[in-house]
Amino acid sequence: MTTHTRKALAYITHGGRLLVFRHPDDPEAGIQVPAGTIEQDERPEEAVLREAREETGLTALRLVRFLGTDERDMADFGRDEIQHRWFYHLRCEDPPSATWRHWETHPSVGMPIEPILFEFFWARLPDDVPELIADQGRMLSLLLAALSDEV
């Protein structure tokens, strides 16, 4: 039976760059943006801030705007799951490190219980952003349009 999950995805920016990460212990997981499961009775905008803080260790994050929603069938990853995804733009308000590692200590349901190591780095928008796994880059054009409107 197909599982339906609600996910919040964070496009975190700082100085014309997008925050992305890889799993050094699981290279097959690809390059990703911070994201996670929206808990029952949690609003997507609350979930995206919670997940971004848990995954990155950053605390000075500000929700800038909602970018849109989509649905993603995860069958190509061997999962009988449809993800209903909410995309948000967040801004990092403090000067961040260029790269860092952070342990996710609250993995999503269905993930291993032990902490997961993430390796973060900034990618210059738009040309240096690597391909993001599972169509996580689907709303990047909307992010870029919103950023160009700010100038």
Side-chain angles (χ1 to χ4, degrees):
M1 179 176 187
T2 303
T3 303
H4 291 263
T5 56
R6 298 183 319 139
K7 300 286 184 176
L9 288 84
Y11 289 157
I12 301 172
T13 62
H14 184 271
R17 303 172 299 167
L18 177 70
L19 183 63
V20 295
F21 71 91
R22 64 176 58 95
H23 292 270
D25 298 329
D26 185 12
E28 299 80 31
I31 308 285
Q32 301 180 37
V33 296
T37 302
I38 301 169
E39 296 175 0
Q40 186 174 344
D41 299 325
E42 186 176 35
R43 296 182 327 206
E45 59 272 15
E46 295 168 337
V48 75
L49 282 167
R50 176 185 52 77
E51 285 289 347
R53 289 175 178 137
E54 287 175 1
E55 290 190 0
T56 68
L58 297 172
T59 56
L61 297 175
R62 180 174 58 87
L63 179 63
V64 178
R65 71 181 47 86
F66 170 68
L67 295 168
T69 62
D70 78 354
E71 287 189 2
R72 175 69 161 76
D73 186 338
M74 300 302 287
D76 55 336
F77 290 91
R79 294 169 32 198
D80 190 14
E81 175 186 3
I82 303 291
Q83 290 184 354
H84 303 272
R85 306 186 306 182
W86 281 257
F87 290 79
Y88 289 90
H89 174 204
L90 277 62
R91 184 164 288 126
C92 182
E93 298 287 304
D94 287 341
S97 297
T99 64
W100 72 95
R101 288 181 163 200
H102 183 74
W103 290 93
E104 163 68 87
T105 57
H106 299 92
S108 297
V109 174
M111 298 292 289
I113 317 173
E114 56 274 347
I116 302 169
L117 180 61
F118 295 150
E119 185 174 76
F120 290 93
F121 60 99
W122 295 94
R124 177 86 30 214
L125 287 163
D127 298 328
D128 293 338
V129 176
E131 183 174 343
L132 300 173
I133 198 161
D135 300 320
Q136 287 188 353
R138 184 168 294 180
M139 300 284 173
L140 282 176
S141 62
L142 295 175
L143 173 66
L144 293 170
L147 290 172
S148 69
D149 287 346
E150 292 178 2
V151 179

